[in-house]
C-alpha cells in the first residue's frame, strides 16, 4: 500500500478529546471513484464537502455515503456480478453486499447526477435529465433506489462498478464508517455535476493535480482519498485501473498524537503499534 506522507496531519477539531468509550460501531458505506480520460490523462471526479457536514466537513472527497436499509431491497432489477460475487470480494454477507452496490449507485446519482443504470441489462442511460427530479427525493429518503428504478423502468448496472478498497474509520472518531471503495468509468453522454446539498464545489482533476493542490494547502484530503488518488495516478489509464484485481482486506488506520499534532498511521507503517502521547 502507498504510504502516507509524514507531514499529513489531521485538521484541528477532527479528533475529539477524550476518545469515545466504547468506540462507535462503524456503519456500512460506499464511495465511488468516477474516472474519465482527459487531455492530461486519467481524471477523477471530486467534491469539496460543505463545512458544516458532521463528517469530513470541508474535505475534498469522492461521491459516497452511508447505506440506507432499503438499499438491500432484493426486488431491484440487476445486471452484472451478483451479490454473492461482491460478498466474496468484500468479505461480507450477500445482503450487505447487495446494499453496498445499491448504495454506490444511489449515492453516485444523488451527489453527481451520474446514473449507473440503463433501460435494459446491456445499455446505460445516456441522458439523465429526465430523472433529475428524483435526485432530491432520493437524498431526502422520500424515495428509495428500488422505488426509483422500478418507476423509471431501469436496471442497475453492477457490471459498471469495480471493487477497489475497504477503509474503516479510526476508533478515536465519534462517527465511523466501514467504507467500500468502487471504481466506475464515466458513462458516455452523461455529465457529472455538483447539484447536491453536501458539496460546495465539484470538479474533475487528474490525481496528480489533486495531490499537488493538497501539498499547497489548497484542499483537504482524508487519508483514504490521498491513498486512492496516489494509486489511481499510478495506473496507466482508466481501462488499466478498472482491470486491476487485488486483495481487499480492511484497512484500519490509527490516530496517533505525536509532536503536538494528530497524525494517521496505516497498518505496517512505523508507529502503528506504539502508544500515542495523547
Amino acid at each position: 500500500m502507498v504510504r502516507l506522507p509524514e507531514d499529513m496531519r489531521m485538521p484541528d477539531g477532527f479528533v475529539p478529546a477524550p476518545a469515545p468509550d466504547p468506540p462507535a460501531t462503524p456503519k456500512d458505506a460506499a464511495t465511488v471513484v468516477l474516472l474519465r480520460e482527459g487531455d492530461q490523462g486519467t481524471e477523477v471526479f471530486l467534491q469539496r464537502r460543505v463545512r458544516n457536514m458532521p463528517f469530513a466537513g470541508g474535505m475534498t472527497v469522492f461521491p459516497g455515503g452511508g447505506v440506507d436499509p432499503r438499499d438491500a431491497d432484493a426486488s431491484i432489477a440487476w445486471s452484472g456480478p451478483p451479490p454473492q460475487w461482491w460478498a466474496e470480494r468484500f468479505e461480507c454477507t450477500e445482503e450487505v453486499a447487495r446494499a453496498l452496490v445499491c448504495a454506490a449507485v444511489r449515492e453516485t446519482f444523488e451527489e453527481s447526477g451520474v446514473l449507473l443504470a440503463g433501460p435494459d441489462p446491456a445499455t446505460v442511460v445516456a441522458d439523465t435529465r429526465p430523472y433529475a427530479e428524483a435526485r432530491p427525493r432520493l437524498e431526502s429518503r422520500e424515495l428509495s433506489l428500488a422505488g426509483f428504478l422500478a418507476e423509471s423502468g431501469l436496471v442497475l448496472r453492477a457490471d459498471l462498478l469495480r471493487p477497489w478498497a475497504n477503509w474503516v474509520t479510526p476508533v478515536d472518531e465519534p462517527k465511523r464508517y466501514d467504507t467500500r471503495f468502487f471504481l466506475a468509468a464515466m458513462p458516455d453522454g452523461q455529465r457529472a455535476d455538483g447539484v447536491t446539498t453536501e458539496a460546495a464545489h465539484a470538479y474533475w482533476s487528474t490525481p496528480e493535480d489533486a495531490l499537488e493542490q493538497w501539498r499547497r494547502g489548497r484542499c483537504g484530503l482524508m487519508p483514504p482519498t490521498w491513498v486512492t488518488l496516489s494509486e489511481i495516478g499510478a495506473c496507466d489509464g482508466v481501462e488499466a485501473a478498472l482491470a486491476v484485481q487485488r486483495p481487499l482486506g480492511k484497512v484500519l488506520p490509527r490516530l496517533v498524537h505525536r509532536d503536538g499534532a494528530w497524525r494517521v498511521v496505516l497498518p505496517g507503517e512505523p508507529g502503528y503499534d506504539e502508544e500515542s502521547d495523547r
Side-chain angles (χ1 to χ4, degrees):
M1 173 176 289
V2 176
R3 291 184 60 171
L4 294 172
E6 293 186 0
D7 58 348
M8 174 173 261
R9 302 181 178 188
M10 296 299 290
D12 293 340
F14 265 59
V15 182
D21 185 18
T25 300
K27 297 181 179 178
D28 288 312
T31 287
V32 176
V33 185
L34 288 171
L35 304 172
R36 74 177 185 184
E37 293 292 356
D39 294 338
Q40 305 301 317
T42 302
E43 295 181 337
V44 298
F45 185 70
L46 294 166
Q47 297 179 319
R48 188 178 75 245
R49 292 165 67 87
V50 295
R51 291 197 176 278
N52 62 356
M53 292 290 290
F55 183 79
M59 305 299 281
T60 295
V61 300
F62 309 111
V67 167
D68 180 332
R70 297 174 297 174
D71 289 331
D73 191 330
S75 68
I76 287 178
W78 182 292
S79 177
Q84 179 183 3
W85 186 90
W86 293 98
E88 292 170 355
R89 271 48 181 191
F90 286 128
E91 299 181 358
C92 61
T93 66
E94 289 187 32
E95 182 180 13
V96 171
R98 179 190 299 276
L100 288 166
V101 171
C102 290
V105 171
R106 177 181 52 74
E107 288 284 342
T108 302
F109 184 50
E110 286 179 18
E111 298 191 359
S112 73
V114 174
L115 184 52
L116 302 175
D120 59 61
T123 60
V124 62
V125 169
D127 182 0
T128 63
R129 287 176 295 182
Y131 311 104
E133 177 268 342
R135 287 175 66 182
R137 296 174 62 205
L138 286 165
E139 190 171 352
S140 68
R141 302 297 182 260
E142 173 191 342
L143 182 64
S144 69
L145 180 70
F148 163 59
L149 295 179
E151 72 179 26
S152 303
L154 296 175
V155 179
L156 181 146
R157 292 287 306 276
D159 56 321
L160 300 180
L161 292 165
R162 300 288 186 278
W164 187 256
N166 183 181
W167 288 80
V168 182
T169 313
V171 296
D172 297 83
E173 299 198 29
K175 287 185 176 294
R176 302 181 65 213
Y177 294 95
D178 186 347
T179 306
R180 280 69 166 195
F181 281 60
F182 300 80
L183 303 187
M186 189 66 187
D188 291 340
Q190 292 196 29
R191 176 180 174 274
D193 61 40
V195 184
T196 169
T197 58
E198 298 184 5
H201 181 50
Y203 58 100
W204 288 93
S205 171
T206 65
E208 294 80 10
D209 283 348
L211 292 169
E212 179 61 24
Q213 292 301 309
W214 172 81
R215 278 189 284 271
R216 296 185 180 189
R218 294 175 179 173
C219 73
L221 297 176
M222 302 291 283
T225 311
W226 193 97
V227 169
T228 303
L229 288 168
S230 300
E231 293 171 335
I232 297 298
C235 295
D236 187 18
V238 173
E239 289 302 320
L242 295 174
V244 169
Q245 297 186 29
R246 60 185 198 164
L248 301 174
K250 291 183 188 296
V251 180
L252 177 58
R254 276 199 65 207
L255 287 170
V256 176
H257 197 254
R258 183 189 302 153
D259 300 330
W262 285 103
R263 305 168 191 276
V264 177
V265 182
L266 302 182
E269 289 186 340
Y272 185 81
D273 297 320
E274 296 176 3
E275 292 293 328
S276 171
D277 66 3
R278 179 179 186 164

